[in-house]
Amino acid sequence: MTYTKDFDQVGRGDVGMAGGKGANLGELARAGFPVPPGFVLTTAAYADFVEANGLVPRILELATFPPGAEGTDYDAAAQSIRALFAAGVMPEDIARELSEAYSVLSRQAAAPGDGGVTDTPVAVRSSATAEDLASASFAGQQDTYLNVRGPGDVAAAVIDCWASLWNARAMAYRARAGIDPATVRLAVVVQQMVESEAAGVMFTANPSNGRRDQVVISAAWGLGESVVSGAVTTDDVVVDSGAGRVESRRTADKEVMTGYADKGTMEWPVPEQQRRRPVLDDAAAAALARQGVAVAEHFGAPQDIEWARSAGEFFIVQSRPVTALPEPAAETPADWPLPYPKGMYFRASIVEQLPDPLSPLFADLIDGSVTRSIRALLSEAVGRDVVRDGDVSLPTINGYAYYYYSSSGMWRVMGKSLTAVRALARGKAHMGIKGWRDHSHPRYRGLVRRWSAKPLKDLPSTELLGGVSELLDAGTAYYTAVQSVIPIAATSEITFRAFYDRLVRRAGDPPGQTFLLGFDSEPMRAEKSLYDLAAWTRGHPELAAAFTSGPAESIAESVRTGDTPAGVDAGEWEQWRTRFQRHLDRFGHAVYNLDFVNPVPADDPSALLETLKFFVRGEGSDPHGRQQRSAERREDQSRAIRDRLGPARRAGFVRLLRWAQRAAPVREDALADIGLAWPLMRRMLLELGQRLVGSGIIAESADIFWLRLGELRNAIDFGLATPGAAITGTERPVRAEAVEQRKMLWRGQRKAAAPQLLPESRWVERAFGSMMPARSQDQPGDTFSGVGASSGQVTAPARVLGGPEDFATMRPGEVLVARMTTPAWTPLFAMASGVVTDVGGPLSHSSIVAREYGIPAVLGTGVATQRLTSGRQVRVDGDAGTVTLEPEPAEA
């Protein structure tokens, strides 16, 4: 036969002939799984039908749309194409083979004693070549017809299936997936119906949390089509596939079920005694889950399976790969247990650099490092006997870092507050602007230079780990020094603006922030460097085209390997690469997140290249011109104010203004260099990780970040981080499972909203809440508030970004929404129309940069990333400090 193939004649390699659904069913049937018998009408039949009826040119004319075409165009085209198929005539040889194959299936299904002649009920299902694939499921995009009986009705259902290849939803789906309409074909699966007492859908991995050790089953009485379409309420069961036991279940009140009609199907009321009864008991659910796991193991990937149960036996009627499955995550924590009693836990200051749960290795290293740094600073500021063992630390709760101060230690330090203020004013040791400029910054840079000069591959593992600890200690000491700069900058700005607002400002005068804009700082210099590189790139058209046409990841790979992108002159590429490397050498240490599990731009410049593409396209404002305009306005307004003031107020205005203008840029310069040691520390740890890969401890070098410090030290002590060392006799690296479990736990923790203060109580919130960098998380309604940090209003779609891995999704004109931003996020501000964060205040980095860009900002909302979703229209009011969710469109 030319056009029909029994299931046992096709397999997973026959997608081009049998479509995705047909190929998968054939593969399962050949492997011995309980698949109801059937056959495939191949894509050749579809091709010959449309060719014989002259439909190809007209279909492609109707189904080809310009970019951005929306639903009404698809609907009109779908109706026209369906009319073309309805008017078509099935070629005689296709009709004959289809009828013969159906007759054979009917005879095989005939019960003994009926003479072997019956029109068996079948399901006629579309099976497209771009369907049920690992990259795109296309689930529900084409049509299925159930309880079809007789050769004539089967033939009619086949033509309807062919036409459904061009329904509106299928065409829109393919357009979004970038699939050329000229390349798609449709096979048709004809499969014997199962008279099921129950049916449903099974995912062999949990689609809500990505857990591969959980099977999720939806079950209903009757036929399964109503479960797939969502027309009926289902029982939901979660089975632990490793232990083979039911973990949880929800038994629904099932009012209706789908069953046979004379033709097709119809809904029937569920008998009263069955409505609240579980469709599957625990034993049946576990048995079905075992069958699902076997199917997933056969295909080598998690599966979305449609199943049916008849006379106590389970049948597989369809299986496709699960697409867009998230990485496995543990349950999101709800309780916040305190590791030490009698103390306070704060997510202040450091929260802006550590918004996520910590990786295990970083958590172990940073706790001791921060503790030593804080104790050294406080001993310098308030005396050596004031801070004692156990008074301060940086523990984690559900993975999140908290500053911990014991109650007694906190009272002792507060009693020495005047002493601390005097030490800060003198710039003693690491403290203040003078201490940062003369001591902390040079010392930190010098240490990084010394370690950078060492050949990492030649260093013993003990020395590498010791170097990481030394560099991290230097980084935390530097961070602590920066924390003494920030209050000076904040105090100078607050004092100046208070004096200006109360004693100087008149109606029509600009706001106080105008006098603090237009100064150079490290984030601004980084943006100008990137903008200048984009301008140079635009002067080389082939190079510019390579940037704007492809993903940033491919350019980043070419940067890493040195390979010249296609269509680009090798000499131009090398010039560009040299210029970009200079940019990375100077600015590539800016951290998105202090946890060194996260790459910095020097490691992975993909996020930076997204902004570069934006500039290469000619979008965004020239930062040189923007800064010059801000500086000119600042000087003009300052001159006008000085000229009109009397001697006393003029002296106060000038003195306070100069103080604020000197301090503000220093804060940004200091923050920008926190990550100086981070590219080097990551290289050192990845070198150690590569050695552990060679010895069979971990699967890949980056897994070192998920080891505990004790595990890493033990591996080094036992000689397992030296070339040639190896652990034998294991199927996989010995810490692979522990690494996977820790990643899963981290992903679950990342979904939590960490409280700013612990323990959680009203008096703690009243006493310390105003000092925290985020508002309360209890903000119901469509409007929530934060701190208005940059004036203005804008209504635009939100773009929620978890980190640099999401930067490529940012579109010009969207509102940037994040837990926090650091100087490394500055390039995104060029695209944003507004900024909203969970954490931050009027003097944080986000507010300063937003003012420079002239876009509204509402910071410290505490709830933005929990309440907003990408694409949702929001109104950001930087004057009122509010964020409002705009009403959803009616059709949504």
Side-chain angles (χ1 to χ4, degrees):
M1 286 188 176
T2 305
Y3 295 112
T4 62
K5 298 286 183 182
D6 288 340
F7 283 168
D8 60 6
Q9 295 177 296
V10 296
R12 71 176 82 182
D14 296 318
V15 172
M17 173 185 69
K21 190 181 286 95
N24 289 349
L25 284 172
E27 179 71 25
L28 289 172
R30 291 166 63 178
F33 287 97
V35 174
F39 63 88
V40 178
L41 185 66
T42 67
T43 54
Y46 169 85
D48 288 355
F49 174 86
V50 295
E51 184 66 32
N53 288 278
L55 303 184
V56 176
R58 183 65 177 140
I59 289 173
L60 293 180
E61 178 186 347
L62 290 165
T64 302
F65 298 90
E70 295 296 336
T72 53
D73 297 318
Y74 290 122
D75 289 336
Q79 292 176 18
S80 299
I81 294 174
R82 181 169 286 275
L84 294 175
F85 276 87
V89 177
M90 185 179 289
E92 184 178 342
D93 50 352
I94 299 176
R96 182 180 64 254
E97 286 199 26
L98 176 62
S99 178
E100 290 174 358
Y102 175 70
S103 296
V104 170
L105 184 63
S106 294
R107 286 195 296 273
Q108 292 172 344
D114 64 5
V117 178
T118 182
D119 286 337
T120 189
V122 294
V124 181
R125 303 176 186 273
S126 305
S127 180
T129 53
E131 177 182 65
D132 292 353
L133 308 177
S135 57
S137 75
F138 284 79
Q141 300 308 310
Q142 283 87 41
D143 292 345
T144 291
Y145 300 91
L146 302 180
N147 192 23
V148 182
R149 300 169 184 261
D153 285 352
V154 170
V158 165
I159 293 176
D160 286 340
C161 278
W162 284 340
S164 74
L165 182 63
W166 306 101
N167 65 38
R169 63 180 181 271
M171 287 190 287
Y173 194 110
R174 287 195 295 269
R176 288 195 299 271
I179 295 174
D180 184 351
T183 64
V184 294
R185 299 287 185 272
L186 190 79
V188 177
V189 169
V190 180
Q191 186 176 30
Q192 181 184 327
M193 290 286 292
V194 177
E195 293 192 43
S196 56
E197 70 247 13
V201 175
M202 167 172 52
F203 285 84
T204 64
N206 193 324
S208 64
N209 60 24
R211 297 256 316 250
R212 273 64 169 177
D213 59 347
Q214 292 181 336
V215 175
V216 179
I217 301 170
S218 293
W221 301 115
L223 302 178
E225 192 65 22
S226 55
V227 178
V228 177
S229 66
V232 298
T233 305
T234 63
D235 290 354
D236 297 315
V237 186
V238 178
V239 179
D240 181 329
S241 56
R245 67 171 182 269
V246 171
E247 284 193 347
S248 65
R249 65 164 60 244
R250 183 187 66 84
T251 302
D253 182 359
K254 300 167 284 291
E255 297 182 6
V256 295
M257 59 191 289
T258 302
Y260 288 137
D262 290 339
K263 285 189 175 183
T265 62
M266 64 180 295
E267 289 186 354
W268 303 87
V270 175
E272 183 63 33
Q273 67 272 19
Q274 285 183 259
R275 282 180 52 172
R276 297 170 184 83
R277 199 178 85 202
V279 175
L280 301 175
D281 62 19
D282 284 6
L288 178 58
R290 284 194 296 273
Q291 196 170 93
V293 170
V295 172
E297 289 176 347
H298 179 79
F299 281 112
Q303 297 290 299
D304 167 5
I305 297 168
E306 294 178 28
W307 59 270
R309 194 184 195 197
S310 179
E313 292 187 37
F314 289 108
F315 296 89
I316 306 298
V317 297
Q318 189 170 323
S319 184
R320 63 171 67 89
V322 179
T323 57
L325 188 66
E327 290 293 321
E331 295 297 320
T332 302
D335 299 321
W336 296 83
L338 305 182
Y340 314 121
K342 298 181 180 179
M344 295 292 303
Y345 297 79
F346 300 90
R347 288 278 291 162
S349 105
I350 203 168
V351 71
E352 295 197 19
Q353 304 287 329
L354 293 170
D356 294 330
L358 305 189
S359 61
L361 185 58
F362 184 80
D364 289 348
L365 286 168
I366 195 68
D367 184 7
S369 186
V370 166
T371 300
R372 289 189 292 273
S373 175
I374 293 176
R375 288 196 63 179
L377 176 72
L378 290 176
S379 295
E380 193 82 36
V382 299
R384 296 189 178 279
D385 297 331
V386 176
V387 183
R388 301 167 188 170
D389 289 343
D391 278 346
V392 296
S393 62
L394 192 80
T396 60
I397 304 175
N398 290 328
Y400 288 88
Y402 281 83
Y403 279 122
Y404 166 76
Y405 290 88
S406 70
S407 300
S408 56
M410 193 158 42
W411 286 115
R412 287 195 299 273
V413 170
M414 290 173 65
K416 295 283 188 176
S417 56
L418 289 178
T419 304
V421 170
R422 285 194 293 270
L424 184 67
R426 292 196 302 270
K428 191 175 181 182
H430 287 268
M431 300 185 72
I433 292 177
K434 185 177 186 301
W436 168 80
R437 181 182 292 115
D438 297 343
H439 181 72
S440 303
H441 199 210
R443 180 180 179 277
Y444 188 28
R445 295 186 71 92
L447 185 65
V448 172
R449 277 196 298 269
R450 285 197 299 276
W451 274 99
S452 296
K454 298 184 179 185
L456 301 186
K457 290 189 178 295
D458 298 336
L459 296 180
S461 296
T462 51
E463 189 173 348
L464 278 174
L465 183 57
V468 170
S469 296
E470 185 179 358
L471 287 165
L472 185 61
D473 279 356
T476 53
Y478 178 83
Y479 184 88
T480 305
V482 172
Q483 296 308 298
S484 72
V485 171
I486 291 174
I488 295 173
T491 301
S492 67
E493 179 172 338
I494 291 169
T495 305
F496 164 72
R497 290 174 68 172
F499 178 88
Y500 173 73
D501 287 339
R502 293 175 185 175
L503 300 176
V504 175
R505 190 177 184 185
R506 296 176 180 174
D509 284 346
Q513 67 190 43
T514 301
F515 302 95
L516 304 177
L517 300 179
F519 288 99
D520 222 3
S521 66
E522 200 69 354
M524 294 298 106
R525 287 188 283 271
E527 185 202 357
K528 288 188 286 189
S529 171
L530 205 61
Y531 182 86
D532 291 344
L533 180 57
W536 185 90
T537 305
R538 283 198 303 272
H540 300 79
E542 291 178 349
L543 188 56
F547 266 89
T548 54
S549 61
E553 289 81 1
S554 63
I555 297 294
E557 181 64 14
S558 295
V559 171
R560 187 184 67 81
T561 62
D563 296 337
T564 305
V568 175
D569 178 77
E572 287 184 0
W573 169 249
E574 196 53 41
Q575 289 182 61
W576 181 91
R577 195 162 165 262
T578 300
R579 289 169 181 263
F580 186 56
Q581 189 58 53
R582 281 203 298 266
H583 176 89
L584 292 179
D585 289 343
R586 179 167 179 184
F587 304 109
H589 59 264
V591 294
Y592 303 107
N593 181 322
L594 275 177
D595 190 338
F596 47 45
V597 73
N598 301 282
V600 294
D603 302 319
D604 180 3
S606 300
L608 204 60
L609 290 169
E610 289 294 341
T611 303
L612 187 63
K613 286 173 62 176
F614 173 73
F615 284 144
V616 169
R617 291 194 298 265
E619 300 176 288
S621 61
D622 176 355
H624 299 278
R626 187 185 66 238
Q627 185 178 19
Q628 183 178 348
R629 289 190 295 273
S630 293
E632 289 174 351
R633 184 167 184 239
R634 179 193 72 219
E635 293 304 314
D636 289 344
Q637 295 291 343
S638 298
R639 190 179 306 109
I641 295 292
R642 287 196 305 269
D643 288 348
R644 78 157 194 249
L645 293 178
R649 278 192 296 171
R650 183 190 305 125
F653 174 80
V654 170
R655 185 166 58 252
L656 293 176
L657 177 58
R658 287 176 178 169
W659 182 31
Q661 289 177 342
R662 282 195 305 269
V666 172
R667 168 178 49 195
E668 291 300 288
D669 288 344
L671 283 170
D673 274 354
I674 286 171
L676 274 173
W678 262 243
L680 178 57
M681 281 195 295
R682 280 181 51 83
R683 289 199 299 274
M684 296 165 81
L685 287 169
L686 291 172
E687 171 61 29
L688 277 173
Q690 195 58 49
R691 297 178 189 183
L692 296 180
V693 171
S695 65
I697 300 293
I698 53 179
E700 55 185 64
S701 58
D703 285 346
I704 192 173
F705 300 117
W706 301 94
L707 297 180
R708 307 298 329 191
L709 179 58
E711 294 169 341
L712 177 55
R713 282 178 173 156
N714 286 340
I716 292 173
D717 291 344
F718 280 98
L720 296 174
T722 56
I727 296 175
T728 59
T730 60
E731 294 183 359
R732 58 191 308 216
V734 294
R735 301 308 297 164
E737 185 174 351
V739 166
E740 290 173 6
Q741 290 295 319
R742 289 165 190 171
K743 289 179 180 178
M744 188 170 73
L745 177 65
W746 182 90
R747 295 185 194 106
Q749 292 171 334
R750 197 184 188 206
K751 297 177 184 178
Q756 295 292 300
L757 285 163
L758 290 171
E760 294 183 277
S761 67
R762 287 185 177 179
W763 80 263
V764 169
E765 179 65 31
R766 283 198 297 267
F768 298 99
S770 62
M771 301 160 57
M772 294 299 101
R775 290 290 178 92
S776 168
Q777 294 167 359
D778 183 19
Q779 295 198 57
D782 288 340
T783 297
F784 54 90
S785 63
V787 175
S790 183
S791 62
Q793 297 83 33
V794 69
T795 300
R799 178 59 59 182
V800 183
L801 303 178
E805 68 276 8
D806 300 330
F807 283 11
T809 64
M810 183 81 185
R811 297 291 176 265
E814 292 179 328
V815 173
L816 190 163
V817 182
R819 288 193 175 190
M820 57 88 218
T821 69
T822 67
W825 291 63
T826 299
L828 285 184
F829 284 63
M831 298 189 201
S833 61
V835 178
V836 178
T837 66
D838 290 347
V839 173
L843 302 174
S844 67
H845 164 78
S846 302
S847 67
I848 293 166
V849 178
R851 292 176 207 161
E852 291 284 355
Y853 279 87
I855 56 177
V858 178
L859 311 179
T861 65
V863 297
T865 58
Q866 302 283 325
R867 298 285 306 280
L868 300 180
T869 56
S870 292
R872 182 69 188 268
Q873 287 285 125
V874 296
R875 176 174 172 78
V876 180
D877 190 331
D879 297 304
T882 58
V883 180
T884 302
L885 285 74
E886 293 292 295
E888 294 274 21
E891 60 268 22

